[in-house]
Amino acid sequence: MIKGIMLAGALALGTIAGTPVAAQDTSGLRKVGAEVLFWSQAQRDANFPHMEKIFPGHVVKAGGKIRRLPAGTPLPVSDAELDAFIASQNISGLIVLQDGKIRLERYARGYDRDGRWTSFSVAKSFTSTLVGAAIRDGYIKSVDEPVTRYIPELAGSGYDGVTIAQLLTMTSGVKWNEDYTDAKSDVARMFLEAVPAGEDPTVYYMKKLSRETAPGSKWVYKTGETNLIGVLVMRATRKPLADYLSEKVWRPYGMEQDAFWMVDPSGHEVSGCCLSVSLRDYARMGQLALEGGKGVVPANWFAESTRSHADIGAPGRGYGYQWWTYPQDRFGAQGIFGQTIRVDPKTRTVIVVSAAADKASDRDYGIARTAFLDKLFVAAAR
């Protein structure tokens, strides 16, 4: 499942032997995307901060007044502990905000404050925020509306009767295989089939899927559904996601740098993946969620988004509106190869990790990461 979190986005356009792949040419894209999983450590270090050199996409433009992140009291954690954590987890960037102030900021692996790093599935939480923005702006009435109201091509498919909320929580009941090790899995095939002219590739694939369980009854991780959410937002707003993210978040909230969002074979942003952002701007996104997103989303949007709506089968953890939930009322965004935003409302703390882990997904790696982040939250509470 976890490998597919990134791969749906990595199956976007790319380069073959240094030659750009044309927008209409989908041959070989599976190979291009799959290679990301098997890059060497040197390739991950070189490419994760420069995905725009490999894949085409759209710019999320910053501009206007930058939201300051003033220095706070240094976090009481030893350099030895930090160095060991950074080395063992192949971390490129680590930042801790408390009350909007920087209490810790470290870079490694050639990354620095002026760079960007890929998000993989951390992008899902950004896409969810755009749903909230579209509701506040009146483009979408409610998460209780049927998906078919905005994507009518899904009428008569497994998505008949599925609400926007059920897409957001991945409880549509539609059958899906997220295992990229299976060549016949949905996440492997989603962008590979020839698509008739004028049809969106995500919609074309997703409308052929069958119903497995009643909507709202079962959680199954589906990157394809986040891509559907992106299509829905684009349809509702009639704007590219990169433009809408710039309009609603990047410029008004004061992001420091432009971001880069990879696109699929149709030229639309891959909303389930592949947004490249600076470390401090990831932290600002966590701060926006912590503060409630006033002026961006409805007043209760983040409270609803970051509470558990779905049981994922892991004690103390759950899934909200494209945000993960954790014990002690914490919430966050996560992507493969170690990408993390983790928020603790009780201590008003945001932690962001950018990384180039040696595996896309690893249970022991995740346990060690969470244990150290918990230590940082405790240190922030002192």
Side-chain angles (χ1 to χ4, degrees), residues 180-201:
Y180 194 73
T181 63
D182 178 0
K184 296 182 179 180
S185 70
D186 296 297
V187 75
R189 293 187 295 147
M190 184 166 50
F191 288 143
L192 298 183
E193 299 183 7
V195 179
E199 292 211 37
D200 182 274

Side-chain angles (χ1 to χ4, degrees), residues 282-347:
Y282 280 126
R284 288 181 176 94
M285 185 63 187
Q287 188 68 25
L288 172 70
L290 176 62
E291 293 173 356
K294 184 178 180 180
V296 177
V297 295
N300 66 340
W301 179 258
F302 279 113
E304 279 296 298
S305 296
T306 61
R307 72 173 181 85
S308 179
H309 290 261
D311 181 357
I312 67 171
R317 296 181 56 192
Y319 202 69
Y321 291 170
Q322 307 280 299
W323 292 86
W324 300 88
T325 64
Y326 304 96
Q328 302 185 54
D329 296 322
R330 292 170 186 160
F331 64 88
Q334 65 183 53
I336 58 170
F337 292 107
Q339 320 322 313
T340 304
I341 299 175
R342 195 74 56 90
V343 180
D344 181 22
K346 290 180 181 177
T347 62

Side-chain angles (χ1 to χ4, degrees), residues 45 48-49 91-94 106-118 257 277-280 282 354-355:
D45 286 338
F48 283 7
I91 286 172
S92 55
L94 170 65
R106 292 283 293 271
Y107 294 92
R109 315 189 78 81
Y111 189 41
D112 60 33
R113 176 181 167 179
D114 296 326
R116 289 190 293 254
W117 200 268
T118 191
Q257 295 188 45
V277 177
S278 73
L279 186 70
R280 287 191 173 195
Y282 280 126
S354 293

Side-chain angles (χ1 to χ4, degrees), residues 196-220:
E199 292 211 37
D200 182 274
T202 296
V203 177
Y204 178 73
Y205 187 83
M206 303 298 283
K207 71 182 180 181
K208 295 185 290 184
L209 301 177
S210 61
R211 176 70 56 80
E212 181 180 34
T213 60
S217 64
K218 181 182 179 181
W219 179 84
V220 176

Side-chain angles (χ1 to χ4, degrees), residues 5-269:
I5 294 175
M6 180 273 291
L7 257 272
L11 289 170
L13 309 181
T15 60
I16 299 176
T19 302
V21 179
Q24 70 274 17
D25 179 12
T26 59
S27 64
L29 291 182
R30 181 174 183 274
K31 178 182 177 183
V32 173
E35 284 178 352
V36 177
L37 280 176
F38 304 106
W39 278 344
S40 68
Q41 190 62 55
Q43 286 173 309
R44 286 191 290 273
D45 286 338
N47 295 338
F48 283 7
H50 301 292
M51 297 298 268
E52 66 274 14
K53 294 182 178 180
I54 304 168
F55 300 102
H58 295 156
V59 174
V60 182
K61 294 181 180 178
K65 187 176 181 181
I66 296 172
R67 179 173 292 263
R68 292 184 62 250
L69 298 177
T73 304
L75 207 63
V77 56
S78 73
D79 287 339
E81 280 186 293
L82 280 174
D83 290 343
F85 176 64
I86 288 169
S88 66
Q89 298 255 314
N90 289 357
I91 286 172
S92 55
L94 170 65
I95 189 168
V96 179
L97 300 186
Q98 187 174 34
D99 294 321
K101 297 179 180 179
I102 298 175
R103 298 198 63 187
L104 173 67
E105 185 175 23
R106 292 283 293 271
Y107 294 92
R109 315 189 78 81
Y111 189 41
D112 60 33
R113 176 181 167 179
D114 296 326
R116 289 190 293 254
W117 200 268
T118 191
S119 63
F120 299 117
S121 279
V122 167
K124 288 179 168 66
S125 302
F126 288 72
T127 297
S128 167
T129 301
L130 294 184
V131 176
I135 290 173
R136 184 179 183 275
D137 287 346
Y139 294 117
I140 297 172
K141 291 181 181 179
S142 164
V143 295
D144 297 322
E145 289 187 290
V147 174
T148 51
R149 181 165 296 172
Y150 299 90
I151 311 178
E153 305 98 301
L154 294 176
S157 76
Y159 287 96
D160 245 343
V162 172
T163 65
I164 296 171
Q166 288 161 346
L167 270 193
L168 287 165
T169 57
M170 297 191 183
T171 58
S172 68
V174 171
K175 189 176 182 179
W176 177 265
N177 180 354
E178 184 87 7
D179 183 5
Y180 194 73
T181 63
D182 178 0
K184 296 182 179 180
S185 70
D186 296 297
V187 75
R189 293 187 295 147
M190 184 166 50
F191 288 143
L192 298 183
E193 299 183 7
V195 179
E199 292 211 37
D200 182 274
T202 296
V203 177
Y204 178 73
Y205 187 83
M206 303 298 283
K207 71 182 180 181
K208 295 185 290 184
L209 301 177
S210 61
R211 176 70 56 80
E212 181 180 34
T213 60
S217 64
K218 181 182 179 181
W219 179 84
V220 176
Y221 194 92
K222 307 182 188 82
T223 290
E225 293 196 339
T226 313
N227 292 344
L228 273 184
I229 293 168
V231 173
L232 189 150
V233 172
M234 284 187 285
R235 296 276 183 90
T237 63
R238 301 191 178 193
K239 299 175 182 180
L241 295 182
D243 289 354
Y244 197 48
L245 185 60
S246 174
E247 174 189 333
K248 303 309 301 182
V249 176
W250 240 246
R251 292 185 177 186
Y253 196 71
M255 298 303 196
E256 189 171 354
Q257 295 188 45
D258 291 349
F260 170 81
W261 208 336
M262 286 166 53
V263 296
D264 67 19
S266 69
H268 294 153
E269 294 87 350

